[in-house]
Amino acid sequence: MSKKNLVIVESPAKAKTIEKILGDSFRVVASYGHVRDLPKTTLGVKVEENFKPNYSIVKDKKELVETLRGLAKKSKKVYLASDPDREGEAIAWHVAKTLKLEENELNRIEFNEITESAITDSLKHVRTIDMKMVNAQQARRILDRIVGYKISPLLWTTVSEKTSAGRVQSVALKMICDLEDEIKAFVSEKYWTVDGAFNGNLK
């Protein structure tokens, strides 16, 4: 029996449909999103080492990862078909790292719709993982972690236990507060407008 090609998508809802489109020479399975992430109980970022992240297998994904590793070993080729966005690119990278795939391997495919034409066309344009997109996602994730884990505990002791800080929410709150200060500091002044009609023929 010849080996099948393995396609790894994010959502299990898509897997069966895509497998049906690709045919018997393919097996399609889902990663159910991220398989690796920063640990929940610690910062997970080595700030002094150029903000190096410390990833680990997501706790409830360990059994799934073992299944994916087993399938990958038995497969002719592994294709990473996570969503075509920054988060999807990072998921593909994490899966590749977990399965120990070659870094520059042509294994990344993407499609915007679950149709036969889109899926078959994606296999004609296989590429390597886009590390610029991956690094963009990593930067966002690391900033989320640093702001959340470093500033939120400070707010608990100085403001309230129910407060929290975030990469986006904290900046947005600052802008709202600044605007409110401007509104409160506004001093109304009287002003007049004058309308005039002028005849250009007057000497």
Side-chain angles (χ1 to χ4, degrees):
M1 184 176 178
S2 59
K3 289 185 177 181
K4 291 188 176 185
N5 295 299
L6 179 65
V7 178
I8 302 175
V9 297
E10 285 186 49
S11 169
K14 300 176 182 178
K16 291 297 180 184
T17 303
I18 296 171
E19 187 171 89
K20 188 175 180 181
I21 290 172
L22 291 174
D24 295 336
S25 59
F26 286 84
R27 179 165 185 176
V28 184
V29 296
S31 69
Y32 293 81
H34 281 277
V35 296
R36 295 199 312 173
D37 198 4
L38 299 173
K40 287 186 176 182
T41 56
T42 60
L43 181 63
V45 179
K46 296 180 180 179
V47 178
E48 68 284 355
E49 294 182 30
N50 198 27
F51 300 94
K52 182 180 178 181
N54 180 31
Y55 295 115
S56 59
I57 303 295
V58 177
K59 188 176 180 180
D60 61 357
K61 296 287 185 70
K62 290 182 178 180
E63 187 176 336
L64 172 64
V65 165
E66 288 304 314
T67 300
L68 292 177
R69 284 171 174 165
L71 290 172
K73 287 180 181 179
K74 297 175 184 177
S75 299
K76 180 180 179 181
K77 172 79 175 178
V78 177
Y79 293 99
L80 306 172
S82 45
D83 293 350
D85 55 22
R86 181 180 61 186
E87 204 69 28
E89 203 70 21
I91 289 172
W93 178 72
H94 282 296
V95 171
K97 285 290 186 181
T98 302
L99 301 184
K100 297 181 180 179
L101 303 180
E102 291 294 330
E103 191 168 327
N104 296 318
E105 187 176 339
L106 293 169
N107 53 24
R108 179 75 168 107
I109 61 174
E110 56 182 341
F111 37 82
N112 291 302
E113 56 186 36
I114 310 300
T115 61
E116 183 175 355
S117 59
I119 293 169
T120 53
D121 186 63
S122 71
L123 290 170
K124 298 176 184 177
H125 300 90
V126 186
R127 61 173 175 80
T128 59
I129 292 172
D130 187 341
M131 286 308 300
K132 288 183 179 180
M133 290 182 69
V134 173
N135 289 333
Q137 189 276 343
Q138 288 194 95
R140 180 198 62 77
R141 186 73 184 94
I142 291 169
L143 281 171
D144 281 341
R145 177 55 63 92
I146 291 174
V147 173
Y149 273 55
K150 289 291 187 180
I151 302 179
S152 291
L154 179 62
L155 295 178
W156 298 340
T157 58
T158 58
V159 182
S160 167
E161 291 183 359
K162 296 181 180 180
T163 56
S164 63
R167 173 181 56 91
V168 177
Q169 74 178 44
S170 298
V171 177
L173 183 60
K174 174 68 164 59
M175 293 172 69
I176 293 170
C177 291
D178 286 347
L179 182 58
E180 183 64 20
D181 288 341
E182 286 184 28
I183 293 171
K184 289 179 178 179
F186 177 75
V187 178
S188 61
E189 296 179 358
K190 290 184 179 180
Y191 70 94
W192 294 265
T193 59
V194 178
D195 297 322
F198 302 92
N199 189 331
N201 295 324
L202 292 177
K203 294 183 180 178

